[in-house]
Amino acid sequence: MPANCQRFYTATGAARPCITLYTRFNHNSISSFCGRRGYASSACFRPDLQRTLLTNSNRRTHTFLPNSQRMSTLPNLENNMARAIIHPTIESIRSVRKSFDPSVSVGFVPTMGALHEGHLSLARAARSQNDVVIASIFVNPTQFGEGEDLDKYPRQLEKDVDLLTENGVDHVFAPSSGMMYGKNHTTYVDPKGFDQTKEGTSRPNHFRGVATIVTKLLNIVQPTNAYFGQKDAVQCVVIRRIVDDLDMDVNVQIMDTVREKDGLAMSSRNAYLTPEERDKAPIVYKALCAAREVFESRWARGMEELDANDLQEVVEKALETEPLITEVQYVAIDDLETMQPLSKVGNGGCIVSLACILGSVRLIDNIVLR
């Protein structure tokens, strides 16, 4: 590695793949260095994929992302942490992806931004299991229904990119709505049967929007592994279904729901809760835990199967104890693989999921019983 360059690392300490630097000193000389776990060329970036870096001589090297109007700056490299590169165009992120050697594993974490620890745990999982990590930040309009919170959904790109950088993400795909849905866009992915689930009934066309954007993102990024959180239970089943049905070459990794200390599932929409509502919100998880207690005690009562209605009733009664819950939209007892409703629950287990309105905020959560 040339003496006038530093080696840059992810937040977790893993050296980044080979990067080509265009320097402003030594007559615009080009210096390349490698630093990915001991091999030199398996993830080389193309020379036109450039970024702003800081050398150990305190001079800036200037690099650019092709066809990008925004640049990812690197405010602090003293701790060997290069900020994740922001890609606002499909062409830009595809250029990076095509630059990797086929042997390089790519982890992908799709998000809508407003990141919390749940998202960041997915980024860390991707970092620990892949050579390169890409995240996306895109508030997808097609999965929001009429009267939902599309316009007020939190948007904080710069803060989110910093958080992703700290958790080992190398590239962030952050397109506009116009980039993802052109003026002549007419094609959607519509998985059959999911609009008839209780979550689908309460949010018409939501899963068409989810399936469409996930298909588009997986097609653009072409990851080895893609990471999703269990909190969105039906969404996880939808994604597995489309990947299987459309023969996509990607491993879908479903990670456990991340919770606050009091049990509330982490969600970007938790920010809408007032202090009083936030104090009462753990009742959602407590209600689900009540169903788990009934399920786990069935053997002591000499029962191999439970009536699904009994589990549903336990959850509903627990929710009814909280006056701030103004509506229970549904409590569902569904099959683990298909999310179709069950009448009996035996050794195969089930997913217990719910949606309710606490104050003015819609909360969802679920637990897997097996």
Side-chain angles (χ1 to χ4, degrees):
M1 184 171 69
N4 61 0
C5 292
Q6 290 180 349
R7 181 173 289 166
F8 298 100
Y9 295 80
T10 65
T12 57
R16 289 185 182 278
C18 178
I19 301 175
T20 299
L21 300 182
Y22 284 71
T23 67
R24 289 294 189 190
F25 51 96
N26 294 335
H27 305 289
N28 294 318
S29 63
I30 298 176
S31 302
S32 295
F33 65 90
C34 300
R36 180 67 188 98
R37 297 179 185 170
Y39 52 84
S41 61
S42 66
C44 291
F45 290 91
R46 284 169 33 182
D48 60 335
L49 306 176
Q50 307 172 33
R51 60 190 304 187
T52 302
L53 299 172
L54 189 65
T55 69
N56 60 9
S57 63
N58 284 330
R59 300 192 183 188
R60 264 193 196 285
T61 64
H62 291 278
T63 57
F64 312 89
L65 291 173
N67 302 306
S68 296
Q69 307 238 335
R70 291 176 287 182
M71 289 193 65
S72 177
T73 58
L74 295 135
N76 179 12
L77 292 179
E78 294 180 359
N79 295 320
N80 287 334
M81 185 188 299
R83 194 176 192 234
I85 304 172
I86 302 174
H87 300 267
T89 68
I90 294 172
E91 183 177 358
S92 174
I93 194 66
R94 275 185 168 161
S95 294
V96 168
R97 182 63 183 94
K98 290 176 181 178
S99 72
F100 301 148
D101 186 275
S103 65
V104 172
S105 60
V106 176
F108 179 48
V109 182
T111 82
M112 294 205 303
L115 303 182
H116 52 70
E117 179 58 26
H119 299 110
L120 301 180
S121 70
L122 300 181
R124 289 193 296 273
R127 178 74 276 162
S128 69
Q129 298 171 10
N130 299 274
D131 298 318
V132 177
V133 180
I134 300 172
S136 64
I137 297 175
F138 179 65
V139 181
N140 176 37
T142 65
Q143 68 188 69
F144 287 78
E146 185 176 351
E148 293 189 3
D149 57 343
L150 173 61
D151 292 337
K152 70 174 185 177
Y153 195 88
R155 291 164 172 84
Q156 50 185 42
L157 179 62
E158 293 301 318
K159 178 180 178 181
D160 287 342
V161 172
D162 288 340
L163 289 170
L164 290 169
T165 299
E166 292 168 5
N167 287 272
V169 171
D170 301 301
H171 300 272
V172 177
F173 179 42
S176 65
S177 293
M179 176 65 61
M180 296 303 290
Y181 297 101
K183 64 178 181 179
N184 296 319
H185 186 279
T186 59
T187 304
Y188 293 87
V189 179
D190 193 1
K192 297 299 182 183
F194 290 96
D195 277 346
Q196 284 69 57
T197 64
K198 290 188 176 180
E199 177 70 6
T201 301
S202 65
R203 303 186 72 186
N205 294 320
H206 170 71
F207 292 114
R208 185 182 80 154
V210 169
T212 299
I213 193 59
V214 171
T215 300
K216 289 169 72 70
L217 289 170
L218 294 179
N219 182 47
I220 292 166
V221 176
Q222 298 286 306
T224 312
N225 301 290
Y227 296 80
F228 302 88
Q230 175 62 41
K231 187 179 80 71
D232 298 298
V234 185
Q235 175 177 290
C236 291
V237 175
V238 169
I239 292 166
R240 280 179 164 154
R241 186 76 272 136
I242 61 175
V243 165
D244 188 44
D245 290 351
L246 300 181
D247 301 306
M248 295 183 181
D249 187 18
V250 58
N251 301 311
V252 175
Q253 308 284 353
I254 306 299
M255 313 304 287
D256 290 342
T257 300
V258 177
R259 300 184 180 277
E260 304 285 359
K261 291 181 179 179
D262 58 10
L264 178 65
M266 290 189 178
S267 169
S268 300
R269 290 184 172 92
N270 290 350
Y272 300 157
L273 295 168
T274 67
E276 182 184 10
E277 291 165 354
R278 174 61 187 85
D279 185 58
K280 302 298 184 181
I283 186 62
V284 173
Y285 184 54
K286 291 178 182 177
L288 294 171
C289 289
R292 181 167 59 195
E293 290 175 4
V294 171
F295 177 77
E296 291 178 347
S297 67
R298 72 191 187 284
W299 294 111
R301 292 178 284 142
M303 303 173 63
E304 292 189 5
E305 285 188 333
L306 289 173
D307 194 299
N309 289 333
D310 292 340
L311 293 175
Q312 179 177 335
E313 184 178 345
V314 166
V315 176
E316 289 173 343
K317 286 185 175 179
L319 295 174
E320 289 169 1
T321 64
E322 178 47 60
L324 288 181
I325 293 181
T326 57
E327 180 186 357
V328 177
Q329 292 187 337
Y330 68 81
V331 175
I333 316 297
D334 294 324
D335 182 86
L336 290 167
E337 299 296 327
T338 66
M339 292 304 292
Q340 296 305 303
L342 297 174
S343 58
K344 298 288 184 179
V345 180
N347 294 336
C350 66
I351 294 180
V352 182
S353 58
L354 66 85
C356 65
I357 307 298
L358 194 153
S360 61
V361 182
R362 186 178 190 267
L363 299 178
I364 64 170
D365 201 352
N366 68 85
I367 58 171
V368 174
L369 303 180
R370 53 170 112 237

